[in-house]
Amino acid sequence: MLHSNYLKQLDLQDIVVFINLMEQRSAKLTSELMNISQPTVSYCLKRLRGCFNDTLFFSSQGILLPTTKAERIMPYLKMIVESVNHCAENKICAPTVVKKVWQICAPEYFELFLLPLTLASVARDHTNLSLNMERLRHELPIYRLISGDVDIAVGFGPGYHQMHPELEWQPILDDKFVCVTSQPGNTPKGAMSIEKFCAAPHVFPKPWLSEKNMVDSWLEKIGCSRRVLAQANSYQACVNIVAEVPSILALPARLLPFLRIPEEVRVCKPPLGFPTFTLDIIWARERSKIQEIHNLRGLIQKVSDAYSSDK
């Protein structure tokens, strides 16, 4: 039974319009995607606002931003559409095992280091589950975490990712950098000097799309800078470049066993004071009590703890 007479006015198109507005952040794009007119989108939105007694969206620089209520109701309305689609696709209404897909947004670091063991645990103990990975971009997918489109995000801390009052996070491991170099000369027994580090050409890995990285941010704080010879989309690609071109790569130490390091490439300590970091799992505060989110966080933490203890 519906709790409000207003809700009886809603139809499925209104709900689909709402979902597309949440995802597209644009009435124009929504109308094009659904092949309906913009006045129809406006009419559906007006009806939605009346039914839920909330403006749902407000415009900022031409982009539709959702209200808190819109973010909270998004998972439920999305579930309605998914349920209707499920009924249409399954004509025989027999009990079925629902396969849960966990949506994780993470950098390549996580994919190289923790994802294989996480998948091994899922395959062994959670046969009705699967993981869908997407690459972390220059900002956390805040609204997608809040709405439930992304279950867990993985980012670097402390302070290297933008946080939000409706998000919670937990560090699961810490790491430091090493310098991977093919520069001529003997590898120093101690730390590489800051002068040598800054004078050499560098290869910069972009395993996640970020406008700034922790190494250059640290150099800027101490009044130094480096010359980036090349940027590459993966850690292994950077190592391969270093093997062919005299240069330096600042590489997370925990990734060394997962990469093919040629014999001519040496590993040494970075300059004194070089930044360290943590790997954090991040989730929506509103969804922290959902058992599936709790299970996913626990699984990733367990894998991280097991790997650290083995090492």
Side-chain angles (χ1 to χ4, degrees):
M1 299 292 292
L2 295 175
H3 294 297
S4 168
N5 288 329
Y6 289 106
L7 294 177
K8 296 177 181 178
Q9 302 173 19
L10 279 179
D11 58 32
L12 195 58
Q13 177 174 267
D14 297 330
I15 297 174
V16 175
V17 164
F18 173 82
I19 293 172
N20 281 310
L21 287 173
M22 286 289 291
E23 293 176 347
Q24 304 299 325
R25 300 290 198 264
S26 165
K28 181 176 183 295
L29 292 177
T30 296
S31 68
E32 292 174 353
L33 184 64
M34 296 182 63
N35 197 26
I36 58 177
S37 66
Q38 287 196 52
T40 299
V41 172
S42 299
Y43 178 73
C44 292
L45 180 56
K46 180 179 179 181
R47 193 153 52 180
L48 286 160
R49 284 169 167 165
C51 290
F52 293 107
N53 192 29
D54 190 84
T55 58
L56 298 179
F57 298 93
F58 60 93
S59 180
S60 175
Q61 297 181 345
I63 300 175
L64 292 179
L65 300 179
T67 63
T68 299
K69 187 167 189 177
E71 292 170 345
R72 289 176 177 174
I73 66 176
M74 171 66 169
Y76 301 101
L77 295 183
K78 192 171 183 181
M79 189 183 302
I80 291 173
V81 175
E82 291 173 350
S83 299
V84 171
N85 286 330
H86 180 77
C87 291
E89 294 167 0
N90 296 273
K91 296 181 179 180
I92 300 176
C93 297
T96 57
V97 177
V98 178
K99 189 173 182 65
K100 169 63 181 176
V101 179
W102 276 334
Q103 192 77 21
I104 302 178
C105 181
E108 187 195 11
Y109 182 102
F110 176 83
E111 293 179 344
L112 286 172
F113 182 34
L114 295 180
L115 181 59
L117 289 179
T118 302
L119 281 173
S121 179
V122 167
R124 182 179 62 250
D125 303 326
H126 306 275
T127 55
N128 65 323
L129 298 177
S130 62
L131 303 182
N132 185 30
M133 298 294 304
E134 63 178 79
R135 185 61 58 90
L136 179 67
R137 298 184 178 274
H138 69 281
E139 290 183 351
L140 287 172
I142 293 173
Y143 294 110
R144 296 180 64 210
L145 281 165
I146 294 172
S147 69
D149 283 347
V150 174
D151 294 305
I152 289 286
V154 180
F156 296 109
Y160 299 116
H161 47 65
Q162 176 191 359
M163 290 310 300
H164 187 278
E166 294 194 38
L167 298 182
E168 295 182 339
W169 71 97
Q170 173 186 350
I172 56 174
L173 59 85
D174 52 24
D175 202 352
K176 60 186 179 180
F177 284 95
V178 293
C179 285
V180 177
T181 179
S182 58
Q183 284 274 289
N186 296 324
T187 302
K189 293 182 179 180
M192 179 182 291
S193 70
I194 187 66
E195 292 79 13
K196 182 174 181 179
F197 181 84
C198 292
H202 284 253
V203 180
F204 170 41
K206 299 189 71 173
W208 75 102
L209 303 180
S210 175
E211 294 176 353
K212 252 193 175 181
N213 62 84
M214 58 189 82
V215 174
D216 287 314
S217 296
W218 173 72
L219 289 172
E220 185 178 330
K221 287 181 181 178
I222 63 173
C224 297
S225 62
R226 61 176 176 169
R227 178 172 69 89
V228 176
L229 174 68
Q231 298 181 1
N233 290 322
S234 71
Y235 291 108
Q236 186 62 60
C238 288
V239 172
N240 295 345
I241 293 171
V242 170
E244 298 296 331
V245 181
S247 56
I248 293 176
L249 163 64
L251 180 71
R254 287 184 183 267
L255 295 186
L256 283 172
F258 302 95
L259 298 171
R260 183 184 60 82
I261 310 294
E263 292 183 2
E264 63 270 22
V265 173
R266 303 180 303 278
V267 177
C268 60
K269 295 180 181 179
L272 295 175
F274 213 76
T276 59
F277 63 93
T278 60
L279 189 70
D280 301 348
I281 50 176
I282 304 150
W283 64 94
R285 186 185 305 274
E286 187 72 19
R287 306 182 74 236
S288 60
K289 294 182 180 179
I290 297 176
Q291 189 61 41
E292 290 177 345
I293 303 299
H294 179 78
N295 291 344
L296 178 55
R297 288 165 42 204
L299 174 60
I300 295 175
Q301 182 68 69
K302 183 178 179 181
V303 168
S304 175
D305 292 345
Y307 187 88
S308 298
S309 63
D310 290 343
K311 296 300 178 184

